[in-house]
Amino acid sequence: MESYDVIIIGTGAGGGTLARHLAPSGKRILLLERGSWLPREPANWSAADVFIDNRYISPDTWYDSGGKPFQPQVHYFVGGATKLYGAALYRLRREDFGELRHHDGISPAWPIAYEQMEPYYTLAEQLYQVHGARGEDPTEPPASADYPFPAVSHEPRIQQLSDDLAKAGYHPFHAPCGIRLTETNMPYSVCVRCPSCDGFPCPLHAKSDAEVFGVRPALEHNNVTLLTNAHVIRLETNPQGTAVTTVVVEHEGHEERYAADIVVVSAGAANSAKLLLRSANERHPNGLANGSDQVGRNYMFHASQAVLALSKEPNPTVFQKTLGVNDFYFRGPDFDYPMGNIQMIGKSQADMFRGEKPIATMLAPTWALADVARHAVDFWLSTEDLPMPENRVTLTEDGNVRLSYRQSNPTAADRLYHQLKSMLGHLGMHSGHLLHRFAYMKSEIPVAGVAHQAGTCRFGTDRASSVLDTDCKAHELDNLYVVDTSFFPSIGAVNPALTAMANALRVGDHLLRRLGATTAATTAAGPGSTR
């Protein structure tokens, strides 16, 4: 059985970032990725292939609480979910690290303060080449450095939207974007500001994803090995149950076994919980690291709504995801509780809502789908999903994921929707007309939209109510860590990817100290910089 210093299971925002951070140490590192490299092909930019045929979605079958099967929107590739994300790289607000009272419940405090995460947010923004502008968003937390790259400019229709919002007394800001764009020198820019970014793979590697800025830089070091199509099915421990001794992998039709001094799980909140539950043994009868009965519990994934408004004038915007509004993040005009974040999403294309034609034509009966797309201004509304013990991952009899979920914060989500709806007439839109983009969600089953999944292995100082300690090490095992979004005790209302990246760097520093390793400082701009 081959042995390593560190095994990392999963190559997404957590695992891929951690691999890059540990790679210069010289320690032997094995990356295990369930999927393969995402193909670079013309279909990457095809809305029909991506949104209708679900070309890049895993064929997994999960089950809801009633036993109904569904296909989750998970992606198994090098780089994980970041291969198809929208690259909106937000920090959680400082207040998100403390307890927040919502209309429908409590968002619990984290066991660490924002100030402990802040240096790693700054480093993550540098590594992932985030574009943004400090000082525009009134809810923005303190930062120790400017964004490494200037904000992505608004195209004319979105600039007009920003101006209209400002005239109405709101505080629109340039959204933090992780794209490899050099607007002042477009002939040398990797990103071309295409319309097929948010929700699409990028064949140009112009998106700041965990393959491009995590795995590939890690593999430049000869002490790092990547094994693709390697599905980890079980973790085995020593007889005392105090340490993981073996990682059992299905690889190309046969079983392989690997060992490491440190094992890091980063397979996504649902699959990380699944792996720990499937690894039950005599010492851990309810699942590995599950003496608290918290593994799989408190599943969160944001109460998100993808909606489009119909602009009175055509919206010729190509790259639309440049604007955000957080005026309602902590309260609304007549609602003294948090509501959430409003941001733009990728521009509608007709193929995105093919199959939703009855709904589209109900709101605009004389327009073809292409006309709807031409006039669409597209928004993503994100409300905090509150942790609830009964929202959880368990296993079916054959070991598949059963995901039990009910909405935890519906009042705030409804308020945010109606807040935007009430504003449309002042923003150059047809007043009161919002169309839900179910095609963007790819499914009418709410639990299938798992892009922002979090919370199934929460960290904390109390062993009875958490799975991990503040270093993201399992309370019950000396060498087992979890660094994907499973560790979140709450999820906030902004995209979780940057927090996963920052935390992986924070845990990475802890692991370097534990390993007695030293590493060269990472350059601010990172490899392939277009600065």
Side-chain angles (χ1 to χ4, degrees):
M1 180 167 58
E2 197 163 1
S3 183
Y4 293 83
D5 295 302
V6 181
I7 291 176
I8 301 173
I9 302 165
T11 61
T17 305
L18 178 64
R20 174 179 178 168
H21 199 57
L22 299 183
S25 69
K27 299 296 183 180
R28 294 192 70 217
I29 300 166
L30 175 64
L31 292 176
L32 296 173
E33 170 53 52
R34 180 173 177 173
S36 59
W37 299 93
L38 194 149
R40 299 176 69 187
E41 57 187 3
N44 290 170
W45 276 338
S46 165
D49 282 287
V50 173
F51 288 92
I52 297 175
D53 297 338
N54 292 334
R55 183 177 181 87
Y56 303 106
I57 292 179
S58 161
D60 277 17
T61 299
W62 293 0
Y63 298 85
D64 66 15
S65 57
K68 183 178 179 180
F70 65 92
Q71 184 182 21
Q73 294 166 38
V74 290
H75 308 98
Y76 300 140
F77 298 105
V78 176
T82 67
K83 292 305 297 178
L84 285 91
Y85 76 160
L89 294 176
Y90 286 81
R91 298 182 180 208
L92 286 176
R93 313 293 93 174
R94 185 185 218 166
E95 295 87 342
D96 285 324
F97 285 77
E99 182 179 284
L100 284 175
R101 183 171 297 275
H102 290 250
H103 182 277
D104 294 330
I106 299 293
S107 173
W110 287 42
I112 62 173
Y114 169 79
E115 285 71 19
Q116 292 169 268
M117 191 73 83
E118 196 286 327
Y120 298 103
Y121 272 133
T122 295
L123 180 57
E125 288 169 347
Q126 293 168 346
L127 294 182
Y128 282 88
Q129 299 190 10
V130 182
H131 296 244
R134 303 278 187 224
E136 296 180 338
D137 175 6
T139 72
E140 180 182 56
S144 56
D146 289 336
Y147 283 106
F149 290 88
V152 178
S153 66
H154 300 315
E155 293 178 44
R157 181 64 186 90
I158 305 306
Q159 183 62 58
Q160 182 61 54
L161 173 61
S162 179
D163 294 342
D164 290 342
L165 284 164
K167 288 176 185 176
Y170 302 112
H171 301 84
F173 59 90
H174 288 83
C177 296
I179 54 175
R180 303 173 69 190
L181 176 70
T182 308
E183 292 191 79
T184 57
N185 192 7
M186 287 303 291
Y188 284 86
S189 177
V190 181
C191 175
V192 297
R193 288 191 72 128
C194 76
S196 302
C197 180
D198 191 7
F200 292 82
C202 181
L204 303 182
H205 287 167
K207 197 182 296 189
S208 298
D209 63 45
E211 175 200 335
V212 173
F213 287 118
V215 176
R216 286 178 179 267
L219 292 177
E220 293 175 5
H221 299 263
N222 60 16
N223 54 299
V224 178
T225 301
L226 170 66
L227 194 65
T228 58
N229 298 306
H231 182 195
V232 178
I233 57 173
R234 188 171 67 257
L235 303 177
E236 296 177 348
T237 71
N238 58 15
Q240 298 79 25
T242 58
V244 175
T245 56
T246 309
V247 177
V248 184
V249 180
E250 285 183 352
H251 180 232
E252 297 180 348
H254 61 277
E255 186 176 286
E256 298 176 357
R257 304 164 74 84
Y258 299 93
D261 294 335
I262 292 170
V263 174
V264 181
V265 177
S266 188
N271 278 314
S272 288
K274 173 186 174 181
L275 176 60
L276 297 183
L277 293 172
R278 288 187 65 174
S279 300
N281 59 30
E282 185 177 348
R283 292 287 184 176
H284 300 272
N286 297 318
L288 211 57
N290 198 27
S292 62
D293 190 34
Q294 294 300 303
V295 172
R297 291 189 183 274
N298 303 297
Y299 176 88
M300 300 169 284
F301 76 115
H302 277 145
S304 296
Q305 304 171 76
V307 297
L308 63 86
L310 298 178
S311 177
K312 293 176 181 177
E313 301 297 327
N315 176 17
T317 303
V318 177
F319 189 88
Q320 185 172 252
K321 198 177 176 74
T322 59
L323 181 144
V325 177
N326 274 337
D327 289 76
F328 318 110
Y329 197 92
F330 293 116
R331 63 191 55 84
D334 57 350
F335 188 70
D336 288 333
Y337 299 96
M339 293 167 66
N341 164 265
I342 299 174
Q343 59 182 279
M344 312 308 295
I345 56 175
K347 183 71 175 69
S348 283
Q349 301 179 37
D351 279 340
M352 288 181 179
F353 35 74
R354 183 187 297 166
E356 295 298 327
K357 193 171 182 178
I359 297 175
T361 55
M362 178 177 66
L363 290 183
T366 61
W367 292 10
L369 291 182
D371 289 325
V372 174
R374 190 174 301 115
H375 284 256
V377 177
D378 308 82
F379 298 90
W380 180 267
L381 312 183
S382 183
T383 297
E384 180 161 6
D385 192 14
L386 303 177
M388 298 170 57
E390 60 269 32
N391 285 349
R392 65 185 301 196
V393 172
T394 55
L395 300 181
T396 61
E397 290 185 3
D398 58 357
N400 282 317
V401 169
R402 177 187 287 115
L403 185 54
S404 301
Y405 179 83
R406 68 179 178 86
Q407 195 172 2
S408 66
N409 200 14
T411 306
D414 185 64
R415 286 288 191 129
L416 187 61
Y417 175 84
H418 285 285
Q419 176 66 44
L420 176 62
K421 192 174 182 180
S422 72
M423 296 159 57
L424 295 182
H426 303 287
L427 303 176
M429 319 283 186
H430 288 280
S431 181
H433 283 263
L434 282 180
L435 171 66
H436 278 274
R437 266 179 59 177
F438 291 113
Y440 184 89
M441 301 296 289
K442 305 186 185 71
S443 174
E444 295 181 16
I445 304 172
V447 291
V450 299
H452 291 184
Q453 57 180 291
T456 57
C457 300
R458 56 162 55 176
F459 76 157
T461 56
D462 181 5
R463 295 170 63 101
S465 61
S466 59
V467 178
L468 311 170
D469 68 16
T470 55
D471 292 320
C472 290
K473 184 187 77 66
H475 289 302
E476 302 167 31
L477 293 106
D478 183 57
N479 67 338
L480 177 64
Y481 292 78
V482 181
V483 299
D484 54 27
T485 52
S486 302
F487 85 96
F488 282 38
S490 67
I491 196 172
V494 291
N495 312 52
L498 187 73
T499 301
M501 295 162 178
N503 184 65
L505 296 169
R506 184 183 72 90
V507 174
D509 272 357
H510 161 79
L511 292 177
L512 288 170
R513 292 190 295 270
R514 175 170 173 165
L515 292 164
T518 57
T519 179
T522 308
T523 60
S529 172
T530 55
R531 196 190 272 248

